[in-house]
Amino acid sequence: MSEAATTADSAHPCLSCGACCASFRVDFAVYEMQAMGGTVPDGLALDVNGSTCRMRGTEQVPIRCAALTGQVGQQVACSIYELRPAPCREFSAGDYACHKARARHGLAPLAEGTSL
Ligand code: SF4
Ligand code: SF4
């Protein structure tokens, strides 16, 4: 889920989508875990290999991050938005991966010029 998709901005397209949070594995450095001084709540991720962690729910099929609330394509939120790991903060609404995720969930690409 991209930047600026805060609950204060209810018109943000990510808040009626969530497709990327239910399409891709979300892996990040173990140093992003709270236990290591980072922000991601420890219970919400799995250790992959000692140096990488993965958001729970994105290791399985169908993928759905454990931090995602709501219904994809309708109304969603990231329950750890301010604490989410780097891949989520770096994800860009409207780019190729966003279109791909939306397509997987039967959603049209974001229209050009969508306010993000
Ligand atoms: S797939 Fe795109 S529009 Fe949907 S939540 Fe992710 S970044 Fe936002
Ligand atoms: S942590 Fe939040 S933004 Fe990242 S995949 Fe999970 S629900 Fe989406």
Side-chain angles (χ1 to χ4, degrees):
M1 193 172 287
S2 79
E3 204 54 55
T6 64
T7 46
D9 181 10
S10 58
H12 194 285
C14 293
L15 296 179
S16 56
C17 178
C20 54
C21 311
S23 295
F24 306 121
R25 276 188 196 152
V26 179
D27 287 1
F28 52 93
V30 67
Y31 302 106
E32 292 203 64
M33 297 301 298
Q34 276 181 351
M36 300 289 281
T39 60
V40 180
D42 296 326
L44 278 176
L46 307 159
D47 175 72
V48 175
N49 58 18
S51 60
T52 301
C53 288
R54 182 169 296 159
M55 288 304 297
R56 279 190 193 275
T58 72
E59 81 286 10
Q60 61 189 30
V61 179
I63 290 172
R64 183 184 163 113
C65 178
L68 186 69
T69 62
Q71 193 172 345
V72 172
Q74 309 252 320
Q75 190 177 24
V76 295
C78 172
S79 62
I80 59 161
Y81 186 76
E82 298 297 336
L83 309 175
R84 69 202 195 291
C88 307
R89 284 184 270 112
E90 289 161 6
F91 203 88
S92 295
D95 73 2
Y96 176 73
C98 169
H99 294 337
K100 205 169 143 188
R102 288 178 61 90
R104 276 191 198 179
H105 289 271
L107 301 168
L110 291 183
E112 256 182 60
T114 302
S115 165
L116 299 173

